Amino acid sequence: MASLTLDAINTKVLKCEYAVRGEIVTLAQQLQQDLQANPGSHPFDEILYCNIGNPQSLGQQPITFFREVLALCDHPSILARSETEGLFSLNCAFSYETKDEYGPAEFVFESIGWSTSFSSCIDAIKRAQQILDQIPGKATGAYSHSQGIKGLRDTIAAGIEARDKFPADPNDIFLTDGASPAVHMMMQLLIGSEKDGIMCPIPQYPLYSASIALHGGTLVPYYLDEATGWGLEISELRKQLQAAKSWGINVRALVVINPGNPTGQVLAEGNQREIVDFCKEEGLVLLADEVYQENVYVADKKFHSFKKISRSMGYGEEDISIVSFQSVSKGYHGECGKRGGYMEVTGFRPEIREQIYKVASVNLCSNISGQILASLVMCPPKVGDDSYGSYSAEKDAILSSLARRAKTLEDALNSLEGVKCNKTEGAMYLFPRIHLPQKAIKAAEAAKTAPDAFYCRLLLNATGIVVVPGSGFGQVTGTWHFRCTILPQEEKIPAIVSRLTDFHKGFMDQYRD
Ligand code: DCS
């Protein structure tokens, strides 16, 4: 047996937990293997993964324009050949076949008898050429600048400016392999010991608790108010900050996830202004997790970046430090496996910026496909571009379907006995509260498991539906929840609803007090 034992490894690693890939998921993988080896061995024929925000794993199709550009950038010799008619027709025949999904009117370029998908191919070729011109040596297989390719950062800064109507500086942008490494990088910068505290929402996305644990800091919780749609109260922030200070914790930063994960709320503009003022007054870095900025499903709410809010309040670089995290994994594109994202870092002294750069440079650079995708996500086709019609049809179809799925699942959950689910205004999740009967809580105790994990395990065993127990995200003591994504394809939703409903009825019949 190898000599390394658990008590010899880093205790910070032992302390770290990450529920979205935790014990329920491990069980699901075992069940899946069972089903493959032995079809019919369980009362369901497939595992429905509702545990993780991974849209393409559940059948969501990538945005054609993004992938065309990416493919052309990755293999520029196709681009050279594409000047020949052969590839044009190959590309365009492919796109032309999809026209029925979006309606011929948008695709037929009547005056010359071409489909507009023909010209949208040309658009992708043009964009790929522009991008390749920005990459030194046109080499996607080469390391880039540690902050990412400058031309792509220019494009991203232009996209941020177009979104916010306030200036953005390409030198403030650090391209990363998804938002997760960017969050780790900031934690590495901010945490030196357990005396350093980071305020996090509860419930929270466990990347934060895991990263704080790995870096040996202290998570200072602030509770979102479920009764007011997961409201974020400044009085709660003040109370928790005071408490942390009284224990000798130096609170360095406040994490805000907007739209919320797992809670799905979209912050109101006025609330965002209060948060900015709180951070400014208390000298806290505002870590703004804005990865779900495209995922807003309600007409009365809009996404506003915290940087835009603070600039609109007249605050500049000297007043507040803000880090905005963005990712190619979420939105309508869902390119999780491509690992792209960035952080926009504003309001830091030059000497701190140098340290952030140093930390980034230890990783050399983020992957180039992810960098290209980040530039596409922040600067997609615009009205008037030839590719705009097909691009926006794909985008709208995905976002409107997500909104419908969220509403159907929310209504279904709210119709169950003892279940209360707030609206999913944004992001990709539902986080219903389950009022578990005492009898179920006792049964969970006997099974040596948390009551919400007990519920999720029985749900999985009976239906094949994988959800994550609320305890993985944090919840008010004595309350129980689970997180379910809204990502299964729309045609699967009715089956999920009926399996979930039948299971819940049976569960309540067995355990009702
Ligand atoms: N921030 C939030 C709020 C997230 O939900 C996620 C991923 C990330 C950052 C990191 O994503 P990337 O590193 O891919 O950019 N969401 C996880 C989740 O809750 N389910 O799937 C992954």
Side-chain angles (χ1 to χ4, degrees), residues 90-104:
L90 187 75
N91 258 340
C92 298
F94 169 73
S95 304
Y96 190 78
E97 276 171 19
T98 63
K99 76 179 166 61
D100 287 341
E101 278 173 58
Y102 306 110

Side-chain angles (χ1 to χ4, degrees), residues 385-398:
D385 292 350
D386 289 329
S387 48
Y388 183 75
S390 55
Y391 156 77
S392 67
E394 290 178 15
K395 170 181 168 175
D396 294 348
I398 290 167

Side-chain angles (χ1 to χ4, degrees), residues 304-345:
H304 302 283
S305 77
F306 269 105
K307 192 184 112 201
K308 169 183 157 183
I309 296 289
S310 86
R311 297 294 177 265
S312 70
M313 294 166 79
Y315 298 149
E317 295 270 336
E318 304 71 35
D319 300 303
I320 180 166
S321 307
I322 303 179
V323 183
S324 164
F325 301 103
Q326 166 66 318
S327 172
V328 306
S329 304
K330 309 298 167 182
Y332 53 90
H333 24 83
E335 295 277 16
C336 303
K338 297 288 179 197
R339 310 309 294 135
Y342 70 80
M343 57 179 182
E344 185 194 14
V345 172

Side-chain angles (χ1 to χ4, degrees), residues 18 20 51-54 177-181 183 205-208 257-262 289-292 325-330 335-337 339-341 429 473 483 485:
Y18 187 68
V20 294
N51 59 304
I52 193 164
N54 193 7
D177 291 323
S180 309
V183 170
Y205 167 50
L207 164 66
Y208 290 96
I257 307 174
N258 180 46
N261 176 9
D289 187 324
E290 303 184 324
V291 303
Y292 295 104
F325 301 103
Q326 166 66 318
S327 172
V328 306
S329 304
K330 309 298 167 182
E335 295 277 16
C336 303
R339 310 309 294 135
Y429 316 96
F473 305 90
R483 190 189 78 168
T485 72

Side-chain angles (χ1 to χ4, degrees), residues 6 48 228:
L6 263 188
L48 292 160
T228 56

Side-chain angles (χ1 to χ4, degrees), residues 35 42 134 154 277 290 303 386 425 429 470 490:
L35 283 176
H42 292 282
Q134 294 166 336
D154 290 340
D277 269 333
E290 303 184 324
F303 167 78
D386 289 329
E425 297 176 330
Y429 316 96
E490 216 164 344

